[in-house]
């Protein structure tokens, strides 16, 4: 039970996918134009994350190591399809406003990252809690960014106007450039926190558990400040040349020398 | 004329990175130098165009015939992953010079959500075969334009005095935001 609580805390705070790990930035920027969209996207991803984590954990001894990434993708894509149908049937307004970003949850690196680094190594119950924690962490991240953009960009929160009438909304914030500005400030704040920590410690703290360091990391937004993101996209041994995505990721990390460290 | 409008719309008006936020990872990761950015852009043009053609054919001739269009997400992602691998093998064997030019960037593309995004958008807008290919090509050209401009700007930014905590990704994102504002200027082009 203790371990389960730890997983929840890990997802919500210490390894928060939005604020700490900076994963899944495409949906983060695209759907946070309002708080309600953020919450919808977050909860949709949470449901898929819980289901896929449980399924992958249950099948972890059946799936051969060589084809595990394609297998994970098929599992995630199936759940995404199911959830997409449910949304279309029961919450059509959310389905319309999220649009193409629902099927694109398949390529959200949070889900594959959790599958690879947690669900494939732990039992079903713990994986479920990991999914809940990470999913809720993502939801909190999306919702708070959504609330921020909606308040200042539209003067409202969850669709209700709260700002006084004299307030001129900064409508750029709910348009595409606003997403870049908000995210930029978010990363800058994160950098600031990290720099302060470094100054306090007087030396470089390495908290990333990736054995080969940042050189092979696929998370371009992390830049060495991530906490325990071991094997986010599968950096383990990948022996088979035929494998598609896994191999690609491996090559990607090998070749991406252009990355910032 | 309609095809031309689709291409312009995909390339400039609804720029894939700056207004749809697809393919952000390579946009930030591989935009440090103009040549690498152009290489990445070339690889994306190549793969996205082929992927739009193939996913369109599969959609109309397999999924629709069998009445299983709801499987599109699963089928598309697998097709794209296999396709990238196949294109890489094919180029390595048949066109080594092109492979050398694109090689490094090809595997990066499978994880690029723009490819799947374009395939899904083609279906959503019910484009025919030609329109799909044009839309895919236009989108990829839009990506290339954005990433090459960004690389050019970043080469200049390197010599600027930036606040410590804005160095690296934050300044890139800020620049992208300004570029997105500039690209709003195109929004009147197509009604």
């Amino acid at each position: 039970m203790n371990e389960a609580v730890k997983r929840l805390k890990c997802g919500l705070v210490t390894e928060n996918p939005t604020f700490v790990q900076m994963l899944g930035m495409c949906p983060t920027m695209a759907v946070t134009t309002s708080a309600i969209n953020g919450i919808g996207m977050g909860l949709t991803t949470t449901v898929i994350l819980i289901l896929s984590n449980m399924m992958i954990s249950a099948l972890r001894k059946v799936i051969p190591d060589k084809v595990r990434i394609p297998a994970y993708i098929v599992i995630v894509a199936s759940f995404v399809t199911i959830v997409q149908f449910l949304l279309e049937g029961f919450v059509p307004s959310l389905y319309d406003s999220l649009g193409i970003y629902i099927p694109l949850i398949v390529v959200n690196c949070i889900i594959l990252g959790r599958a690879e680094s947690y669900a494939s190594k732990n039992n079903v119950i713990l994986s479920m809690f990991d999914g809940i924690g990470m999913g809720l962490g993502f939801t909190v991240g999306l919702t708070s960014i959504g609330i921020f953009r909606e308040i200042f960009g539209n003067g409202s929160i969850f669709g209700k106007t709260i700002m006084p009438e004299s307030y001129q909304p900064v409508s750029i914030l709910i348009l595409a450039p606003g997403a870049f500005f908000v995210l930029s400030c978010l990363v800058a704040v994160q950098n600031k926190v990290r720099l302060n920590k470094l100054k306090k410690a007087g030396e470089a703290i390495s908290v990333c558990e990736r054995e080969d360091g940042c050189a092979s990391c696929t998370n371009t937004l992390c830049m060495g400040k991530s906490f325990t993101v071991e094997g986010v996209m599968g950096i383990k041994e990948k022996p088979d040349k035929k494998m598609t995505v896994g191999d690609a990721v491996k090559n990607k990390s090998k070749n991406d020398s252009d990355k910032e460290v | 004329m309609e095809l031309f409008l689709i291409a312009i719309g995909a390339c400039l008006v609804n720029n894939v990175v700056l207004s749809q936020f697809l393919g952000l990872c390579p946009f930030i990761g591989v935009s440090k130098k103009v040549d690498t950015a152009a290489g990445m852009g070339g690889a994306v043009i190549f793969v996205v165009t082929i992927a739009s053609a193939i996913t369109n054919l599969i959609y109309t001739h397999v999924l629709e015939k069998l009445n299983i269009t709801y499987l599109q997400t699963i089928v598309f992602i697998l097709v794209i992953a296999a396709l990238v691998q196949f294109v890489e093998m094919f180029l390595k064997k048949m066109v080594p010079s092109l492979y050398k030019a694109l090689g490094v960037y090809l595997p990066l593309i499978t994880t690029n959500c723009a490819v799947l995004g374009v395939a899904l958008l083609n279906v959503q807008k019910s484009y025919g075969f030609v329109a799909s290919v044009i839309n895919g090509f236009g989108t990829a050209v839009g990506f290339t334009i954005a990433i090459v401009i960004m690389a050019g700007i970043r080469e200049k930014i390197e010599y600027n005095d930036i606040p410590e905590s804005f160095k690296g990704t934050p300044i890139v994102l800020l620049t992208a935001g300004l570029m997105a504002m500039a690209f709003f200027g195109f929004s009147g082009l197509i009604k």
Side-chain angles (χ1 to χ4, degrees):
Chain A
M1 199 57 219
N2 235 347
E3 181 64 19
V5 177
K6 209 175 130 200
R7 291 323 303 166
L8 289 180
K9 192 187 157 223
C10 183
L12 276 167
V13 187
T14 45
E15 286 181 37
N16 187 295
T18 309
F19 296 129
V20 180
Q21 299 192 42
M22 309 292 291
L23 290 174
M25 280 302 141
C26 295
T28 305
M29 291 171 78
V31 303
T32 52
T33 49
S34 67
I36 196 79
N37 276 357
I39 234 177
M41 186 67 183
L43 290 180
T44 312
T45 312
T46 306
V47 170
I48 293 166
L49 192 54
I50 295 170
L51 292 174
S52 68
N53 256 7
M54 287 171 75
M55 179 67 104
I56 287 165
S57 172
L59 294 175
R60 70 185 186 279
K61 291 191 180 118
V62 184
I63 298 175
D65 205 39
K66 284 179 185 172
V67 291
R68 66 183 194 288
I69 302 274
Y72 296 163
I73 290 183
V74 173
I75 292 172
V76 176
S78 322
F79 283 125
V80 168
T81 309
I82 295 169
V83 169
Q84 192 180 358
F85 273 125
L86 291 175
L87 280 182
E88 194 176 3
F90 293 105
V91 206
S93 59
L94 187 65
Y95 178 81
D96 288 336
S97 58
L98 294 184
I100 188 171
Y101 295 99
I102 301 173
L104 283 177
I105 294 175
V106 180
V107 281
N108 188 329
C109 41
I110 296 174
I111 296 183
L112 267 188
R114 287 334 282 173
E116 177 71 24
S117 66
Y118 197 85
S120 59
K121 293 171 197 151
N122 292 281
N123 66 36
V124 178
I125 303 292
L126 282 183
S127 299
M128 184 182 81
F129 278 104
D130 184 69
I132 297 175
M134 281 291 158
L136 289 183
F138 187 57
T139 313
V140 168
L142 286 192
T143 315
S144 40
I145 297 176
I147 288 176
F148 176 83
R149 286 178 71 185
E150 198 182 343
I151 287 183
F152 291 102
N154 200 25
S156 62
I157 180 167
F158 291 106
K160 283 196 192 79
T161 312
I162 55 155
M163 287 302 220
E165 236 169 73
S166 57
Y167 175 71
Q168 279 284 337
V170 195
S171 50
I172 191 86
L173 273 181
I174 54 169
L175 297 172
F180 286 104
F181 295 146
V182 172
L183 193 69
S184 159
C185 295
L186 195 65
V187 185
V189 168
Q190 226 194 13
N191 275 350
K192 189 84 197 155
V193 171
R194 185 177 55 110
L195 285 170
N196 284 349
K197 248 190 209 165
L198 284 177
K199 265 182 204 149
K200 248 185 212 165
E203 56 181 304
I205 355 167
S206 171
V207 268
C208 184
E209 281 181 6
R210 182 188 297 279
E211 59 262 45
D212 36 7
C214 287
S216 66
C217 187
T218 53
N219 186 1
T220 45
L221 290 166
C222 156
M223 297 178 0
K225 57 181 175 281
S226 211
F227 299 76
T228 61
V229 205
E230 29 143 356
V232 163
M233 283 293 270
I235 309 296
K236 274 193 339 195
E237 283 307 299
K238 215 75 54 60
D240 195 352
K241 191 67 202 135
K242 264 183 234 150
M243 200 163 50
T244 53
V245 179
D247 208 29
V249 170
K250 186 183 156 202
N251 288 345
K252 166 178 177 169
S253 34
K254 229 188 223 164
N255 297 328
D256 199 1
S257 54
D258 193 50
K259 193 163 301 163
E260 332 219 12
V261 178
Chain B
M1 193 59 203
E2 198 193 325
L3 292 177
F4 182 69
L5 285 183
I6 288 177
I8 293 290
C11 167
L12 296 175
V13 183
N14 292 316
N15 188 283
V16 66
V17 185
L18 298 173
S19 80
Q20 306 198 53
F21 309 112
L22 300 177
L24 269 178
C25 290
F27 181 69
I28 296 168
V30 205
S31 62
K32 254 192 152 177
K33 288 196 194 89
V34 173
D35 346 341
T36 47
M40 184 69 195
V44 168
I45 293 180
F46 194 73
V47 170
V48 171
T49 313
I50 298 178
S52 317
I54 296 204
T55 48
N56 181 272
L57 288 179
I58 288 181
Y59 187 80
T60 41
H61 294 292
V62 181
L63 296 184
E64 263 184 348
K65 286 269 159 60
L66 298 174
N67 230 350
I68 48 169
T69 50
Y70 56 86
L71 286 180
Q72 50 163 310
T73 315
I74 304 177
V75 173
F76 284 3
I77 185 78
L78 288 178
V79 165
I80 289 167
L83 180 78
V84 174
Q85 201 71 12
F86 180 75
V87 166
E88 198 188 347
M89 273 156 35
F90 178 81
L91 286 184
K92 201 173 184 178
K93 193 100 185 136
M94 309 304 280
V95 203
S97 57
L98 189 60
Y99 176 76
K100 257 194 179 156
L102 300 183
V104 190
Y105 306 103
L106 274 176
L108 280 162
I109 294 171
T110 326
T111 44
N112 184 343
C113 46
V115 189
L116 181 63
V118 172
L120 291 167
L121 274 177
N122 284 338
V123 170
Q124 207 179 53
K125 294 186 179 164
S126 47
Y127 283 153
F129 179 71
V130 182
S132 292
V133 176
I134 297 279
N135 187 37
F137 181 74
T139 307
V141 170
F143 177 85
T144 311
I145 292 176
I147 197 172
V148 169
I149 295 179
M150 175 54 98
I153 299 176
R154 275 182 86 171
E155 284 186 354
K156 300 262 179 230
I157 285 183
E158 212 144 277
Y159 302 106
N160 291 4
D161 187 21
I162 304 162
E164 189 73 13
S165 46
F166 268 90
K167 273 183 185 155
T169 315
I171 194 72
V172 176
L173 289 168
L174 263 187
T175 317
L178 293 175
M179 279 169 67
M181 276 165 84
F183 270 69
F184 265 151
F186 291 116
S187 57
L189 269 183
I190 295 175
K191 292 266 148 54

